Amino acid sequence: MPTDVAVLVQQVAAGDEHAWGQLVERYLPLVCGLIRRHRLHGADADDVSQTVWLRLVEHIGRLREPEALPGWLASTTRNECLRVISQSRRSMPVDPVEHSDFAGAEDPDHIAGLTSAEERQALREALSELPEQRRALLLMLLTDPPATYAEITERLGIPTGSIGPTRARALEQLRGTKAMRALFPPVEPMGVRP
Amino acid sequence: MKKWDDESELMAALGEAVADESAVTDRARTAALAAFTWRTVDEELMELLHDSAMTAGAAVRSTSAARDLVFEVEGASIDIEFSDGVLTGQVSPTEGAVLKLQRPEADDISLTPDSAGFFRLEGVEPGTVRFVLEFADVRAVTPWVRL
């Protein structure tokens, strides 16, 4: 079970570099994934990521709600991406509107219906809560193209006939993880409130 | 009806979540881990009050590529303009003020404000920086910004 984010934040604020390493590993995909979704690459992407982590070091003792860290990282990353995009637009001799491939022409993370950065973070944490074999099965099915049943049987020792049911059980267990329950708090039954 | 009720929708969302991991580069990881060395405990953190990169809408693009930044904390402020490698600006207070430009992977550069608080530095490369303003017994730092 991964260490609670509030505990890591507290340890980092107290000067624990090992805890910082754990925070970085946990949230790098959130930051780098968002930067890529803004279509920033190379030095621009590196600068944005570096700025976000430096900002976090600076703010870590001031975070009022450590649980809100994924949201803080997502909005800081988005803002830094938009700054870079805005600056390159200003110094660009061509009209970005005519270049539809221009970096960050739209913020894909804000389009309704898509999975948000915070949701993707929660899904990765939910995966890390699963037992090793179930997580490995889901990851094999998530590769592009997905692993074949023969490969799964060979690697994980799950009989072909059990792969479908095991996948279903793994997803059911995933829905019940701490990370998923935090993302979708259970709806209160009708009639509980006066 | 809850999000991802359907198994194939949940698998698709998981696919997106796992795909983010492939965006992580070794350079990003190295810089993120190294950021810890910049942990500070007893400094005043200045607030970024104005940033021209955040106010320029696509419809009102300025012809100037200059970047204007204003940082403030109680009793002190730094105005910055950065254009074509030239950094100019003004600090307040001026009395005994020492201004430094910091980069994550380089030595600090001292900027000496004149008696009116103005300073100028040429040959400044773009990148991630912050400013440190020392006056009296206060040490105020700006948030990290990407010039």
Side-chain angles (χ1 to χ4, degrees):
Chain A
M1 183 70 77
T3 312
D4 198 61
V5 60
V7 174
L8 287 179
V9 166
Q10 204 177 10
Q11 289 171 338
V12 172
D16 184 341
E17 187 161 9
H18 180 70
W20 176 253
Q22 284 182 270
L23 270 190
V24 167
E25 283 309 321
R26 187 175 301 181
Y27 296 111
L28 258 182
L30 186 159
V31 174
C32 292
L34 259 177
I35 294 170
R36 185 169 68 183
R37 279 159 189 260
H38 283 82
R39 294 194 240 162
L40 294 175
H41 304 278
D44 283 344
D46 291 344
D47 283 354
V48 169
S49 175
Q50 184 178 45
T51 305
V52 170
W53 294 104
L54 286 164
R55 287 260 177 115
L56 179 58
V57 165
E58 192 172 78
H59 270 276
I60 199 128
R62 299 175 171 92
L63 285 175
R64 289 212 187 90
E65 292 175 61
E67 293 77 13
L69 182 60
W72 187 91
L73 281 170
S75 61
T76 304
T77 305
R78 267 185 216 112
N79 282 341
E80 287 309 309
C81 287
L82 296 179
R83 279 193 168 97
V84 170
I85 291 160
S86 157
Q87 276 177 273
S88 50
R89 271 185 191 167
R90 293 177 125 212
S91 54
M92 217 169 45
V94 292
D95 187 345
V97 178
E98 290 171 13
H99 293 70
S100 55
D101 193 36
F102 185 69
E106 52 196 322
D107 183 353
D109 220 53
H110 278 167
I111 299 171
L114 287 189
T115 320
S116 76
E118 291 91 328
E119 288 170 344
R120 296 194 300 274
Q121 179 66 34
L123 287 164
R124 284 188 294 273
E125 290 179 18
L127 274 174
S128 74
E129 287 185 49
L130 293 184
E132 179 56 39
Q133 198 198 40
R134 289 186 178 179
R135 175 170 64 243
L137 171 65
L138 290 182
L139 288 177
M140 284 188 84
L141 291 168
L142 288 168
T143 55
D144 183 24
T148 64
Y149 277 24
E151 287 166 338
I152 291 171
T153 302
E154 194 193 320
R155 178 105 67 89
L156 303 178
I158 304 173
T160 305
S162 301
I163 291 175
T166 307
R167 169 184 180 271
R169 279 196 297 275
L171 290 177
E172 207 42 54
Q173 187 175 4
L174 185 108
R175 291 183 204 278
T177 55
K178 199 170 153 236
M180 284 296 99
R181 279 182 283 123
L183 192 61
F184 301 119
V187 180
E188 280 184 44
M190 298 281 280
V192 166
R193 283 184 179 161
Chain B
M1 184 70 190
K2 225 164 66 172
K3 199 165 185 177
W4 309 322
D5 256 354
D6 181 81
E7 275 192 13
S8 61
E9 283 174 16
L10 180 55
M11 285 297 278
L14 280 170
E16 284 185 60
V18 171
D20 277 350
E21 289 168 2
S22 68
V24 174
T25 63
D26 287 341
R27 284 190 315 278
R29 175 179 288 111
T30 304
L33 291 172
F36 184 78
T37 58
W38 290 93
R39 200 175 71 92
T40 52
V41 281
D42 52 358
E43 291 169 339
E44 293 271 0
L45 186 58
M46 300 184 85
E47 192 184 345
L48 177 55
L49 277 196
H50 168 76
D51 181 353
S52 56
M54 287 311 270
T55 50
V60 287
R61 285 200 318 281
S62 158
T63 49
S64 148
R67 176 86 175 275
D68 301 314
L69 298 161
V70 179
F71 301 101
E72 208 173 88
V73 74
E74 202 179 336
S77 67
I78 311 175
D79 283 35
I80 302 276
E81 187 178 314
F82 180 64
S83 179
D84 295 328
V86 181
L87 192 71
T88 51
Q90 189 178 19
V91 296
S92 167
T94 55
E95 180 94 11
V98 178
L99 184 67
K100 282 183 198 149
L101 171 68
Q102 290 189 323
R103 288 177 185 275
E105 292 116 13
D107 293 336
D108 295 359
I109 298 173
S110 284
L111 303 159
T112 316
D114 66 17
S115 57
F118 290 102
F119 59 87
R120 178 185 172 90
L121 182 68
E122 294 181 10
V124 178
E125 296 286 325
T128 305
V129 303
R130 74 171 177 181
F131 299 89
V132 182
L133 179 61
E134 291 168 341
F135 59 96
D137 54 357
V138 178
R139 184 175 151 89
V141 299
T142 70
W144 291 93
V145 292
R146 184 186 172 280
L147 281 183

